[in-house]
Structure formats: C-alpha cells, structure tokens
Amino acid sequence: MAEKARDYEAELLAIMNALAESVAEASDADILAEAREAGEDPGRTAARVRALLGRAVKDNQQRRLREAQKDYDERVRVLRARPYALPRTPEDRRRLFVLVMGRKPEIGAALLTAQHREFKDLTDADIQSCLEQLGALGVLDELQGPSSGER
C-alpha cells in the first residue's frame, strides 16, 4: 500500500500556531526571563520591532503615493509622446491660437493671466509655448478645417 505524502505546510502551520499560543499564554515576566536567558536585550529587541513595524506602516501608507506617482509619470509620458504639428510661421501660429481661444474660451481662462486675455501682448514665443501645451493635451487634434493653419 502506498504511503500517504506528508503535508509539510500543515505541519509547519501547526508548529507556528503552537508557538504563538505558548507565547500568548506566557506571562510578561516569563517572556522577559526567556529572552534574557537567550542573551537578548528586551529593550533593544523592542526598539528593533517598533522600528520594523514603523517602517512597515510607513511603507504601506506610501504604497498609494508610489502608485499615484507611477500613474502620473505614465500620463505625462503619454502626453509628451503625443504627436502634433504647429504652423510654421508666427502669423499662422497666432491665427491658430486665436481660433483655439475662440472655440474653447474656457482654456484661455485657465491658461492665461488676465493681462493677456486679449491676446494682443503675447509674444510669438508665448503663443508657441501655449500651442505646444495645447498640442500635448490633444486640444489641437480637435480643430479641423482650413483656418487651422499648416498642421
């Protein structure tokens, strides 16, 4: 007759449960005496365990932060990799910018300070920078038609 295979995991679990139960039932004085007999300093051991538990708690709390940072980094990478083309001349870029602001006035409120809401004082570099940001965000993809310049 074939011999039944040993369940090592069940045996280990039984040993661990018995150890935990014996520690739970022991008095504090017994545990301290046993630790000292083994050459341990209970104060140092307690400090080491507190530090270990503190690191575990902090690590667990920061897990969501690390996941959020990873998600943010991925979104930024996708935005930066998004293809877009701006018109070649400053005049065409200005026309495209005015078109975008006309079709999406809420963007102007979010993107520009009050002094530039009329778009007259914006330099070509300012307009190009704004268009690059809008392109990365996909706003320029929504615009179609001949008045959008060379894209």
Side-chain angles (χ1 to χ4, degrees):
M1 180 172 187
E3 192 175 315
K4 185 177 169 184
R6 289 178 65 176
D7 186 352
Y8 292 106
E9 281 191 39
E11 290 179 26
L12 180 60
L13 183 60
I15 292 169
M16 296 302 289
N17 285 336
L19 286 171
E21 195 172 313
S22 73
V23 170
E25 291 173 356
S27 70
D28 291 348
D30 289 342
I31 292 174
L32 288 172
E34 202 172 302
R36 287 188 183 110
E37 285 175 19
E40 295 280 331
D41 177 3
R44 290 180 71 181
T45 302
R48 195 172 63 244
V49 169
R50 273 191 216 98
L52 176 68
L53 292 174
R55 284 192 305 271
V57 167
K58 184 177 179 180
D59 187 51
N60 186 50
Q61 289 172 337
Q62 290 186 341
R63 178 180 46 87
R64 286 180 289 214
L65 179 62
R66 285 190 305 273
E67 289 170 359
Q69 181 68 47
K70 184 178 176 184
D71 185 49
Y72 170 79
D73 291 342
E74 176 61 19
R75 288 174 186 248
V76 167
R77 188 194 64 74
V78 167
L79 283 175
R80 287 186 175 152
R82 188 178 195 122
Y84 61 92
L86 296 181
R88 292 187 181 129
T89 67
E91 295 80 18
D92 287 342
R93 285 192 293 270
R94 188 171 290 270
R95 273 195 289 279
L96 175 59
F97 183 76
V98 169
L99 176 70
V100 170
M101 294 301 126
R103 290 192 183 172
K104 300 211 175 259
E106 68 277 7
I107 290 175
L111 195 62
L112 302 169
T113 61
Q115 71 183 24
H116 292 107
R117 296 268 163 83
E118 297 298 316
F119 314 132
K120 294 175 185 160
D121 297 330
L122 290 174
T123 66
D124 292 336
D126 291 335
I127 289 177
Q128 181 160 350
S129 175
C130 288
L131 287 174
E132 287 170 352
Q133 292 173 35
L134 294 171
L137 293 171
V139 173
L140 300 181
D141 296 343
E142 300 171 13
L143 297 177
Q144 296 181 8
S147 60
S148 64
E150 218 177 300
R151 297 177 59 225

